[in-house]
Amino acid sequence: MEDKTEENKELVPIFIMGKRYEVPSSLTIQKAMEYAGYQLVRGCGCRGGICGACGTVYRFPGSYKIEVGLACQTVVQPNMYLAQIPFFPATKSLYDIEKIKPNIETLMKAYPELLRCLQCNTCTKSCPMDIEVMDYMAAAMRGDIARLAELSFDCVMCGLCTSRCPAEICQYNIAILGRRLYGRYIAPSAVHLSSVVQDVEKGKYEQMLRGLMDTDEEGLKNLYNQREIEPEQADENWIPQDRTYL
Ligand code: SF4
Ligand code: SF4
Ligand code: FES
C-alpha cells in the first residue's frame, strides 16, 4: 500500500560526497546540500550563476561520463553522485596592465604553459557556461586577443576547465588577461565613459559623496525610497528629471 506523503513522493536520492540523502526533486544542488544539512561557507557566492564559486562535478551510476554544472543553477536528478569543487589551485601571473602590450609575447610571458595545450577539447566539455574554451585557447596561442576576449566573455571563472586540463593550464586566467588587454588597448573607448571619468577626476561628485557619508541611516533610506526610478517601459533615451550629476 502506498504510504508516502505528497511531500515524500517528490523526494529523490542523491549522493553528496558519497553519502546518500533524500532531497526534494525541485531543488538546485546548492539548495539540496543545504536541505541535507551542509552549511555552505565556501563554494557559494552569488547564487545566481554569475560568480562561479559553485563548480560541481557529478556522475550517474553506470555512466562513465563526468557531468559538470554550477550548483546554484543545476537541479538535482535521482542518483547523482556529486561533489563541489569550491576552489581549484590556479596559476596566476602578476602584471601591470599599463606596462604590457596586447600581443602574443605578453600572453606567453605571463603564461608560458599556454603552448602545452593539446587542443583536446576537454575544457570545452567541462564548461558549465557552454563556452568554446578550446577555441579561445587556440586564439590565445595565435595571439588573437580580440577573439580570445570575445569567446571567453561569459566565463564565470569556476575553474572546472582547469581542474580537468591534461596540460595543467589555467584557461580562465589567460582569458581574463586577454579581456583586460582588449579593454585597455583594442576596444574603442566609450565617449560618454571618458567624459564621466573626467568629471570624477575634476571632483564633480565629491560634495555629493561627502553629503551621503554625513547622512544618517534614516536619511539614506529616505533618499533611496524617494529616488526617481526609470519606468519599466522606458526606452534607451530616458533620462531622469534631476540632471545635476549627469
Ligand atoms: S583541456 Fe587543456 S589541453 Fe585540452 S584543449 Fe583545453 S586547454 Fe588545451
Ligand atoms: S571557461 Fe573554465 S572557468 Fe570559465 S566558465 Fe568555463 S569552465 Fe568555468
Ligand atoms: S553561487 Fe555564484 S555561480 Fe553559483
Side-chain angles (χ1 to χ4, degrees):
M1 186 173 167
E2 179 63 73
D3 63 353
K4 287 183 174 177
T5 63
E6 278 305 303
E7 185 187 328
N8 281 341
K9 276 185 189 171
E10 295 173 4
L11 296 180
V12 294
I14 63 168
F15 297 81
I16 302 171
M17 290 181 281
K19 183 166 166 48
R20 186 179 191 278
Y21 299 90
E22 299 228 336
V23 299
S25 60
S26 59
L27 296 185
T28 60
I29 291 172
Q30 190 168 69
K31 287 184 176 162
M33 289 181 75
E34 289 171 327
Y35 179 90
Y38 289 81
Q39 187 184 9
L40 302 176
V41 178
R42 300 283 293 168
C44 175
C46 67
R47 294 175 176 264
I50 302 294
C51 75
C54 62
T56 303
V57 289
Y58 54 96
R59 255 193 174 120
F60 294 102
S63 169
Y64 70 90
K65 191 171 170 51
I66 290 181
E67 318 259 358
V68 294
L70 296 174
C72 68
Q73 301 297 297
T74 310
V75 174
V76 294
Q77 294 178 59
N79 296 313
M80 67 195 324
Y81 278 69
L82 66 90
Q84 250 195 275
I85 302 180
F87 174 77
F88 195 84
T91 51
K92 186 177 170 191
S93 184
L94 294 180
Y95 43 82
D96 180 343
I97 195 71
E98 300 298 336
K99 293 183 180 155
I100 54 179
K101 292 191 167 64
N103 57 31
I104 193 164
E105 285 77 17
T106 296
L107 295 177
M108 291 300 172
K109 189 170 173 211
Y111 296 101
E113 67 274 23
L114 175 58
L115 286 182
R116 299 184 67 212
C117 176
L118 310 162
Q119 290 287 285
C120 67
N121 212 29
T122 308
C123 47
T124 304
K125 290 182 178 166
S126 309
C127 180
M129 300 299 287
D130 292 332
I131 293 169
E132 297 292 339
V133 189
M134 183 184 76
D135 290 354
Y136 82 54
M137 290 300 292
M141 285 190 282
R142 294 194 306 274
D144 187 344
I145 307 283
R147 188 75 176 141
L148 168 60
E150 181 191 359
L151 286 176
S152 67
F153 188 79
D154 289 332
C155 173
V156 294
M157 305 187 74
C158 68
L160 283 166
C161 52
T162 301
S163 73
R164 303 205 58 210
C165 175
E168 297 164 320
I169 297 170
C170 180
Q171 299 89 334
Y172 62 89
N173 276 341
I174 295 171
I176 201 167
L177 171 55
R179 295 200 297 284
R180 284 172 177 154
L181 288 168
Y182 182 77
R184 173 64 185 83
Y185 295 107
I186 301 173
S189 63
V191 178
H192 62 290
L193 180 61
S194 306
S195 85
V196 171
V197 169
Q198 278 178 15
D199 285 345
V200 170
E201 287 170 350
K202 282 187 213 149
K204 180 173 177 179
Y205 304 100
E206 280 297 307
Q207 199 180 349
M208 180 262 286
L209 289 171
R210 285 192 193 288
L212 284 175
M213 287 166 73
D214 291 339
T215 306
D216 63 12
E217 189 177 332
E218 204 51 39
L220 288 174
K221 280 184 188 167
N222 286 339
L223 281 172
Y224 181 77
N225 290 331
Q226 288 161 16
R227 74 196 188 284
E228 190 181 350
I229 298 174
E230 182 175 344
E232 268 185 31
Q233 304 300 327
D235 65 23
E236 60 184 17
N237 296 317
W238 180 86
I239 47 175
Q241 286 184 347
D242 181 358
R243 295 167 208 169
T244 316
Y245 294 107
L246 290 182

